[in-house]
Amino acid sequence: MRNKAKFIEDFEKVAKPEIIESVDPVQDAAHTMNQLGETEYHLTGNFTKDGQDKTFKFEVQKREKTDDPTEEIDDYFYIGKGE
């Protein structure tokens, strides 16, 4: 995942403290989006400070593989919170 520091910052602004302590948002978002084949990660209202569902938007883009820059792989790029 790229731009993960911004994603974590945005996640921590809206998530309940107990969720922040118990969930790795990067792993959870990547796993969820990979399993569902989506580019949005949803945090339901029961896990947010204000009780409202939150959406985090990503784009899938190509990037060089870390161990072989001659090859490319798909990666999620965080682009911001949804409406």
Side-chain angles (χ1 to χ4, degrees), residues 26-68:
V26 173
Q27 284 185 346
D28 192 51
H31 177 75
T32 301
M33 289 185 298
N34 278 324
Q35 292 296 314
L36 299 176
E38 295 185 2
T39 56
E40 291 184 349
Y41 174 68
H42 302 277
L43 188 62
T44 59
N46 53 330
F47 297 121
T48 64
K49 293 175 186 173
D50 66 1
Q52 300 294 314
D53 292 355
K54 304 298 179 193
T55 300
F56 302 90
K57 295 181 178 267
F58 294 80
E59 290 179 346
V60 177
Q61 298 178 8
K62 296 285 187 189
R63 71 163 176 86
E64 293 178 349
K65 286 178 76 173
T66 304
D67 59 343
D68 185 356

Side-chain angles (χ1 to χ4, degrees), residues 1-42:
M1 178 185 294
R2 299 297 178 225
N3 301 333
K4 66 177 122 184
K6 179 62 176 154
F7 169 62
I8 292 169
E9 178 184 325
D10 286 351
F11 179 90
E12 289 181 349
K13 284 180 185 176
V14 300
K16 289 181 177 179
E18 58 269 23
I19 299 304
I20 294 169
E21 292 174 12
S22 64
V23 171
D24 178 338
V26 173
Q27 284 185 346
D28 192 51
H31 177 75
T32 301
M33 289 185 298
N34 278 324
Q35 292 296 314
L36 299 176
E38 295 185 2
T39 56
E40 291 184 349
Y41 174 68
H42 302 277

